[in-house]
């Protein structure tokens, strides 16, 4: 499981946009080779990434992946270059290292007992995340669709934390892990619970047979995936929508067969209905 997560993060990070490189380093001060013309703004947080090679201890296969090395707070911005300071360092940084804007609150490190973790916050996150704030931990997942062969990415919730302390100077937080379904890893994402939903598609019911539904194919339709299907009822003021849990049984070339896990909703679903599908 750990190695699959590393491979996924490697694919996602390596395809990310490069927002700059380190041009010079003096003590904790860093010069960035991008400035105002590239959209760099004072006060934003950027992460330093380095490339390293790793070997799978089970297969012997070698991987090349990028790892976060440090966080940089941009302080002064000129037209074509910027300066900032190192706010947290995971490993020594070098001239030429890649810089990317920090767009999510990220797990920096986790205790061996999975009892607490340290997080690196975005410039927006440090404004609203306070002691007592409850956050959900998500992991980016990435698979190849068995039919369309397209790469599909989604967020899978792996745990929950409660913020214990926030250090504004270093844009970081210490969090207590309150629960987890899978071991929390470095670079997992931290988000408020209200951002948990990921809409997978807008689809139609093509056929109904017992507790089986036939739907047009939609992104995220993977065998055995358990999803939530929502049907809006605009003409009913007392019940605006109905929710039903479904499980993907089989993915065909143009359709998807699912099983209705909440049969009490069957009488509210009809052939031709337009529904939305979410993954929680």
């Amino acid at each position: 499981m750990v190695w699959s997560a590393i491979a996924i993060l490697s694919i996602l990070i390596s395809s990310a946009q490069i927002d700059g490189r380190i041009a010079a380093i003096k003590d904790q001060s860093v010069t960035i080779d991008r400035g105002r013309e590239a959209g760099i703004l004072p006060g934003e947080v950027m992460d330093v990434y380095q490339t390293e090679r790793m070997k799978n201890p089970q297969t012997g296969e070698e991987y090349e992946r990028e790892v976060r090395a440090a966080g940089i707070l941009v302080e002064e911005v000129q037209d074509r270059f910027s300066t900032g300071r190192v706010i947290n360092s995971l490993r020594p940084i070098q001239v030429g290292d890649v810089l990317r804007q920090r767009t999510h609150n990220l797990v920096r490190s986790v205790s061996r007992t999975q009892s607490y973790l340290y997080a690196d916050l975005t410039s927006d996150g440090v404004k609203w995340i306070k002691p007592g704030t409850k956050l959900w931990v998500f992991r980016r997942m990435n698979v190849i669709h068995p039919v369309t062969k397209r790469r599909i990415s989604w967020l899978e919730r792996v745990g929950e934390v409660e913020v214990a302390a926030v250090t504004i100077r270093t844009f970081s937080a210490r969090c207590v892990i309150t629960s987890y379904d899978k071991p929390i890893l470095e670079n997992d994402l931290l988000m408020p619970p209200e951002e948990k939903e990921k809409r997978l598609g807008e689809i139609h019911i093509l056929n109904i047979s017992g507790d089986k539904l036939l739907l047009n194919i939609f992104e995220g339709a993977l065998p055995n995936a358990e999803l939530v299907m929502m049907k809006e009822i605009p003409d009913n003021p007392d019940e605006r929508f109905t929710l039903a849990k479904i499980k993907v049984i089989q993915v065909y070339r143009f359709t998807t067969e699912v099983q209705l896990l909440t049969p009490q909703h069957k009488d509210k679903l009809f052939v031709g209905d337009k529904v939305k599908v979410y993954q929680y």
Side-chain angles (χ1 to χ4, degrees):
M1 181 61 67
V2 172
W3 276 99
S4 63
I6 289 175
I8 290 165
L9 287 169
S10 175
I11 293 170
L12 292 170
I13 292 174
S14 62
S15 62
Q17 177 182 353
I18 296 176
D19 295 321
R21 291 183 182 272
I22 295 178
I25 304 172
K26 184 178 181 181
D27 298 327
Q28 294 297 100
S29 179
V30 173
T31 301
I32 303 168
D33 68 351
R34 307 278 175 93
R36 190 177 295 109
E37 293 179 355
I40 305 297
L41 298 173
E44 71 175 312
V45 181
M46 307 186 78
D47 283 314
V48 182
Y49 286 92
Q50 297 174 340
T51 301
E52 71 173 14
R53 296 191 65 84
M54 299 186 68
K55 180 180 290 187
N56 188 323
Q58 297 179 344
T59 65
E61 184 179 359
E62 291 190 350
Y63 296 84
E64 187 175 274
R65 66 164 186 156
E66 286 189 340
V67 294
R68 282 198 307 139
I72 305 293
L73 175 64
V74 180
E75 295 181 321
E76 296 184 13
V77 179
Q78 304 296 325
D79 287 341
R80 296 188 177 182
F81 71 92
S82 308
T83 57
R85 62 179 172 87
V86 178
I87 54 175
N88 40 59
S89 180
L90 303 175
R91 59 183 66 199
I93 59 176
Q94 303 174 5
V95 171
D97 283 347
V98 169
L99 286 163
R100 295 194 178 97
Q101 184 181 24
R102 186 183 297 170
T103 56
H104 291 90
N105 305 301
L106 301 170
V107 175
R108 185 200 316 160
S109 61
V110 186
S111 66
R112 291 184 178 180
T113 58
Q114 291 280 312
S115 57
Y116 65 90
L117 62 81
Y118 288 95
D120 292 328
L121 308 180
T122 64
S123 53
D124 288 331
V126 78
K127 298 176 183 177
W128 61 267
I129 294 177
K130 310 293 182 185
T133 300
K134 291 179 171 56
L135 301 170
W136 283 16
V137 185
F138 290 89
R139 182 165 304 144
R140 289 190 185 276
M141 305 302 293
N142 195 27
V143 297
I144 301 298
H145 195 286
V147 176
T148 65
K149 305 304 180 184
R150 293 175 55 195
R151 188 179 301 278
I152 301 170
S153 299
W154 74 94
L155 298 180
E156 178 181 351
R157 185 170 70 89
V158 295
E160 300 180 29
V161 302
E162 181 173 335
V163 179
V166 176
T167 305
I168 297 177
R169 184 178 62 85
T170 58
F171 287 72
S172 60
R174 185 181 188 276
C175 304
V176 176
I177 299 174
T178 54
S179 66
Y180 62 92
D181 300 319
K182 297 179 180 179
I184 297 173
L185 303 176
E186 176 186 331
N187 286 323
D188 281 346
L189 312 180
L190 295 168
M191 298 182 186
E194 57 266 24
E195 293 185 17
K196 68 181 183 299
E197 296 179 354
K198 178 175 176 63
R199 188 171 130 186
L200 297 178
E202 196 169 78
I203 60 179
H204 289 84
I205 298 176
L206 304 179
N207 189 42
I208 300 176
S209 178
D211 63 347
K212 305 293 194 303
L213 307 179
L214 190 66
L215 313 172
N216 58 297
I217 195 167
F218 60 96
E219 185 172 335
L222 297 173
N224 298 317
E226 293 189 7
L227 310 166
V228 173
M229 185 172 67
M230 183 182 77
K231 172 190 172 182
E232 295 181 355
I233 311 176
D235 298 329
N236 189 340
D238 298 324
E239 187 178 16
R240 295 186 177 181
F241 59 86
T242 182
L243 293 175
K245 291 184 178 180
I246 58 174
K247 180 178 181 179
V248 177
I249 299 175
Q250 185 67 46
V251 178
Y252 302 101
R253 185 175 181 183
F254 299 110
T255 58
T256 301
E257 184 181 10
V258 302
Q259 179 182 5
L260 189 62
L261 300 181
T262 51
Q264 65 269 27
H265 295 115
K266 180 183 175 182
D267 59 345
K268 299 179 182 178
L269 301 173
F270 303 94
V271 173
D273 279 349
K274 186 177 181 180
V275 296
K276 298 176 182 178
V277 177
Y278 296 84
Q279 182 165 14
Y280 281 73

